[in-house]
Amino acid sequence: MLEVTNLTRAFGHGAAAHTAIEAVSLSVAHGELVSIVGPSGCGKSTLLRCIAGLIAPTGGRVVLRGVPVHDVPDGLAVVLQDYGRSLYPWLTVRDNVALPLRRTLRGRAARRTAADASLAAVALAGVGDKYPWQLSGGMQQRVAIARALACDPALLLMDEPFGSVDAQTREDLEDLVLRVRRERDITILLVTHDIDESVYVGDRVIVLTPGPGRVRADLPVRLPESRDQIITKELPDFVRLRTEVSRLVRSRDTRAVS
Amino acid sequence: MSWLRISWAWRWAVLVAGIGGWQLWTSRAGSSFFPRPSAIVTRMYHLWFSGPAAHVFLTADATGNLLPSLGRVLAGLAIATAIGAPLGIALGRSPVVTAYLNPLLQFARALPVVTMAPVFIVLFKIGTQMEIATIVFGTLWPILLNTIDGAATVDPVQLETARAFRMSAGQRLAWVIIPAALPKAFAGFRLSLSLSLILMVFSELVGSSSGIGYEMSNASNAFDMTFLWSTIVLLGILGYLLNELLAGAERHLLAWHTGKGRG
């Protein structure tokens, strides 16, 4: 599905040069949900933007479904952390979701129907006529998810999508992502700084080293398919893995572990 | 803000009381330079608003002077917007070009328009063309510079989102850049609106054969103070009405902007 090979991205020149990610290699299989976790400043967002084709890497390459990524590829959608700024305040919620569909779907009515269906899929039926700023933070982030899902992407990239909502809302949104993933034929790459979240939603957890970001560990999550915020999080396997990830994230050691 | 809660009636009551005070003071003073408001209103009625019903009660003097003035204001603003808004969007999205042009723009903006009037008189002769040219030159800068600022400061996250969803350049322009630039463009337009009235009167005072400014200059030459005050009050009313019209358009078009600010 997704092959990332030796991906490097540096910013600036000369003495001010700064390497955000260095020689990152990873692969994601069709239908997987992979969490990428790392300390702040480890280049997680840079990695995601390179994979999305939003910024060009300075080295290495990204191949999505056999095609090298140069610009934003087909079948890919992005949910950014900053829902408050990525939703357009001058458009209603429905128009926000429908806007990207202009590229693929002809006819206002068809786009409207698709947008409403997508809003219903994130349990937001009936708020289509409101403006984003009239909704709570959690609801706004669900609008952003609905907008991404409306494009029916094969790969969904999420950049710290729940970083700025309260804990309860965060858990609801995690369960929403898990449900969406069950219901659709979709591959998800989720960047987060929250260790519990990375283990709870992931099939695999990729741990990055502090900047420049390299892959420190790639750990499979061996937890039952159906997850529950209370039950799953008290399983010995969950606790063991979250402890391991936590230790890896906190350590200043930048070597890869296998 | 608490002043918003003051009822409509109370706000107008203050205005009425002010005019009442003015009436009392001028009646007592009996100065020929400061005629009573009642005399001014009567004069305005006879001058401009006592025409036949078929002409919406406008007199020949009104259609011959008020309408041309209003037409010049609107034509000047329309031309300035037609030039300033698209150019502002284009320059706002081209920071390099704007960086080169900036000294030129700042210089042109800093020129007092009034000093350009003699140039326009030579270029266009005295008349409507010269008057519109003066209004256009004066009102272009606020619209242009504010639109540049609005288009240049579109939130990068909003633009990145547009790119992530692979919107075409046209879609980005129509659905992201223009709406994002609109609040600042409107702020520029509001400045231009009040400027346009000033420039209209000024250009008509300098040289014209019709218009409110022309009437003012006639009244002034004839020492007809009531007439002169009538034109001043008329300009005040005109400015108020145009501003209300713009505020209404703004409430409609930028509802999201004010709503977001409150939310």
Side-chain angles (χ1 to χ4, degrees):
Chain A
M1 175 78 192
L2 176 72
E3 285 292 337
V4 176
T5 321
N6 274 328
L7 202 68
T8 299
R9 170 71 208 206
F11 293 97
H13 300 282
H18 156 74
T19 307
I21 50 170
E22 194 168 47
V24 171
S25 294
L26 58 95
S27 68
V28 180
H30 181 98
E32 257 189 322
L33 199 168
V34 175
S35 310
I36 296 179
V37 67
S40 51
C42 72
K44 299 187 292 280
S45 291
T46 304
L47 174 61
L48 199 93
R49 278 171 169 74
C50 283
I51 294 173
L54 285 167
I55 55 176
T58 40
R61 61 192 209 132
V62 177
V63 177
L64 179 64
R65 292 188 291 184
V67 184
V69 169
H70 295 298
D71 204 344
V72 181
D74 261 315
L76 180 140
V78 185
V79 175
L80 298 171
Q81 172 183 10
D82 221 338
Y83 54 81
R85 291 161 69 198
S86 82
L87 295 174
Y88 299 119
W90 47 84
L91 297 179
T92 61
V93 164
R94 179 183 298 111
D95 289 341
N96 262 290
V97 176
L99 184 57
L101 298 174
R102 285 179 166 266
R103 211 173 59 80
T104 49
L105 210 55
R106 288 201 165 273
R108 212 180 126 79
R111 287 195 294 268
R112 197 187 154 93
T113 311
D116 282 341
S118 200
L119 283 169
V122 298
L124 277 182
V127 304
D129 291 321
K130 286 200 191 304
Y131 285 89
W133 37 268
Q134 294 174 312
L135 307 180
S136 69
M139 285 168 98
Q140 288 184 42
Q141 191 55 290
R142 275 193 282 163
V143 174
I145 294 171
R147 177 172 62 179
L149 292 178
C151 304
D152 201 17
L155 177 64
L156 179 63
L157 302 180
M158 307 181 97
D159 185 12
E160 304 208 15
F162 318 130
S164 33
V165 293
D166 61 89
Q168 175 66 45
T169 309
R170 185 182 194 115
E171 293 184 353
D172 292 345
L173 289 168
E174 288 165 7
D175 288 333
L176 171 73
V177 168
L178 288 173
R179 181 165 61 77
V180 161
R181 185 272 182 103
R182 262 199 316 279
E183 289 169 358
R184 292 168 185 245
D185 181 27
I186 193 169
T187 309
I188 301 176
L189 197 59
L190 181 132
V191 163
T192 178
H193 65 261
D194 185 302
I195 291 153
D196 281 19
E197 180 170 285
S198 71
V199 175
Y200 179 71
V201 299
D203 297 324
R204 254 163 66 210
V205 178
I206 292 175
V207 184
L208 296 185
T209 62
R214 296 192 191 85
V215 176
R216 174 136 167 80
D218 187 340
L219 310 163
V221 178
R222 295 197 182 86
L223 290 172
E225 187 69 16
S226 113
R227 296 189 188 172
D228 179 279
Q229 291 286 357
I230 310 276
I231 298 168
T232 305
K233 286 182 179 173
E234 60 189 5
L235 292 175
D237 279 346
F238 180 90
V239 176
R240 197 177 308 122
L241 190 57
R242 80 159 303 285
T243 309
E244 187 181 352
V245 172
S246 186
R247 194 169 288 128
L248 288 167
V249 167
R250 281 168 182 277
S251 85
R252 305 303 299 172
D253 192 348
T254 57
R255 283 170 303 176
V257 292
S258 47
Chain B
M1 274 172 275
S2 58
W3 62 267
L4 280 173
R5 274 187 240 117
I6 298 171
S7 80
W8 182 87
W10 273 108
R11 264 184 275 166
W12 285 97
V14 171
L15 181 74
V16 169
I19 294 174
W22 182 13
Q23 175 82 19
L24 273 176
W25 179 70
T26 46
S27 298
R28 194 170 297 174
S31 161
S32 54
F33 297 105
F34 298 99
R36 285 168 288 119
S38 56
I40 295 172
V41 171
T42 314
R43 188 63 176 278
M44 287 175 75
Y45 171 75
H46 286 303
L47 271 172
W48 299 307
F49 304 112
S50 55
H55 290 155
V56 214
F57 302 105
L58 290 176
T59 60
D61 190 88
T63 47
N65 291 300
L66 307 195
L67 294 189
S69 284
L70 210 56
R72 285 165 198 149
V73 163
L74 296 181
L77 280 173
I79 295 170
T81 308
I83 300 171
L87 194 63
I89 297 277
L91 287 177
R93 298 312 305 159
S94 337
V96 178
V97 180
T98 306
Y100 278 113
L101 286 182
N102 200 37
L104 191 66
L105 290 175
Q106 296 301 337
F107 178 77
R109 183 186 69 151
L111 280 179
V113 201
V114 175
T115 61
M116 292 299 288
V119 179
F120 292 138
I121 291 176
V122 175
L123 281 177
F124 299 110
K125 309 278 183 316
I126 283 181
T128 303
Q129 279 193 344
M130 164 264 170
E131 288 150 12
I132 291 178
T134 307
I135 295 174
V136 170
F137 189 81
T139 56
L140 175 64
W141 309 111
I143 295 174
L144 178 65
L145 292 168
N146 279 279
T147 310
I148 290 177
D149 187 31
T153 53
V154 181
D155 191 326
V157 176
Q158 292 177 343
L159 289 169
E160 189 176 44
T161 304
R163 229 155 67 70
F165 285 106
R166 281 175 305 156
M167 290 186 212
S168 65
Q171 286 172 346
R172 280 208 292 267
L173 183 67
W175 299 105
V176 183
I177 294 168
I178 291 179
L182 214 52
K184 279 184 179 160
F186 250 99
F189 190 81
R190 204 178 312 117
L191 278 174
S192 291
L193 182 70
S194 50
L195 267 176
S196 70
L197 283 177
I198 298 169
L199 293 173
M200 177 264 284
V201 174
F202 165 75
S203 65
E204 287 174 354
L205 281 173
V206 170
S208 177
S209 50
S210 66
I212 300 172
Y214 170 73
E215 291 211 291
M216 285 184 97
S217 136
N218 279 351
S220 169
N221 288 339
F223 290 102
D224 187 343
M225 293 313 287
T226 313
F227 190 8
L228 190 57
W229 278 98
S230 298
T231 55
I232 292 169
V233 172
L234 180 73
L235 281 169
I237 293 171
L238 208 60
Y240 175 80
L241 288 180
L242 286 174
N243 211 39
E244 281 298 293
L245 215 64
L246 185 69
E250 224 175 311
R251 268 195 297 277
H252 180 69
L253 275 170
L254 298 180
W256 64 268
H257 190 63
T258 40
K260 191 174 173 247
R262 232 180 286 127

